[in-house]
Amino acid sequence: MNIKNITEPLLLTSLLLLPISFIYFNKKHYLIAISIFLNGIASYIYHLKHNNDYSNKKSDKKSDKKSNKKTDVSLDKKPYLFDMITSHVSFILSVYLAQKLSKPQKYILLILTAMAFLFYGLNLYYNSYSYHLTWHIFVLLGQLFLALKIKSNKK
């Protein structure tokens, strides 16, 4: 494993979800802890493959050889679907947990979530690395805020 596979910002932000999942686990919110943990792994796998594909395309630009498109598509879908499913489950569980926050805390989380969605939309529109990274950062901030502010389960 190359150190670039950890320090590249999109990959690093994916890995930073893992300690947040441990905060949830420590507070006995096991379902969201598992979901966030899997989401971090899924996001890392997706972005690692995406970065490797991008690097390979840059180095193969001079070559006109094309690989089997059916294989390429099926390989791309699995990490993407895993990332999307775990992201959506994590979001739904986060919304459920956020109901337990105080009103001022809900407003702070709402602002962080709105910023994440804004940069998600900008990333979709412009396909920009900077917007994608900023979106990841706001997701991290929102998850960290929720994990730190939510009370422990008494179970």
Side-chain angles (χ1 to χ4, degrees):
M1 179 179 244
N2 188 342
I3 191 72
K4 186 180 177 192
N5 291 344
I6 296 173
T7 59
E8 197 285 322
L10 279 177
L11 296 172
L12 182 60
T13 56
S14 299
L15 291 177
L16 288 174
L17 283 172
L18 303 181
I20 293 172
S21 73
F22 295 130
I23 296 170
Y24 283 119
F25 190 84
N26 189 40
K27 291 188 172 190
K28 296 180 173 68
H29 293 285
Y30 301 119
L31 194 56
I32 194 167
I34 292 167
S35 177
I36 294 289
F37 186 85
L38 291 175
N39 184 221
I41 292 170
S43 181
Y44 180 81
I45 292 168
Y46 170 72
H47 288 95
L48 179 64
K49 178 167 180 13
H50 184 72
N51 284 350
N52 287 341
D53 287 350
Y54 179 73
S55 297
N56 291 339
K57 283 179 186 175
K58 281 175 67 175
S59 64
D60 292 343
K61 210 170 193 174
K62 294 178 183 176
S63 169
D64 288 325
K65 293 181 181 178
K66 301 265 181 175
S67 61
N68 181 352
K69 288 186 179 182
K70 185 175 182 183
T71 304
D72 290 344
V73 171
S74 66
L75 289 176
D76 285 342
K77 280 187 180 180
K78 288 178 185 176
Y80 176 75
L81 288 174
F82 186 41
D83 186 28
M84 290 301 294
I85 290 168
T86 57
S87 295
H88 284 86
V89 169
S90 297
F91 181 75
I92 291 166
L93 293 171
S94 298
V95 169
Y96 174 76
L97 272 183
Q99 296 175 29
K100 300 176 182 180
L101 295 176
S102 69
K103 201 169 196 172
Q105 291 171 336
K106 286 179 185 175
Y107 286 130
I108 293 168
L109 190 58
L110 178 65
I111 291 167
L112 291 170
T113 304
M115 294 302 292
F117 276 117
L118 171 68
F119 283 100
Y120 176 77
L122 289 171
N123 175 56
L124 286 178
Y125 187 76
Y126 292 107
N127 195 22
S128 162
Y129 178 87
S130 297
Y131 290 142
H132 193 144
L133 181 58
T134 307
W135 159 40
H136 273 223
I137 291 168
F138 275 106
V139 168
L140 275 173
L141 291 173
Q143 283 297 338
L144 182 60
F145 181 81
L146 180 59
L148 292 174
K149 296 300 180 182
I150 200 72
K151 294 179 181 169
S152 295
N153 264 344
K154 295 176 181 160
K155 293 178 184 177

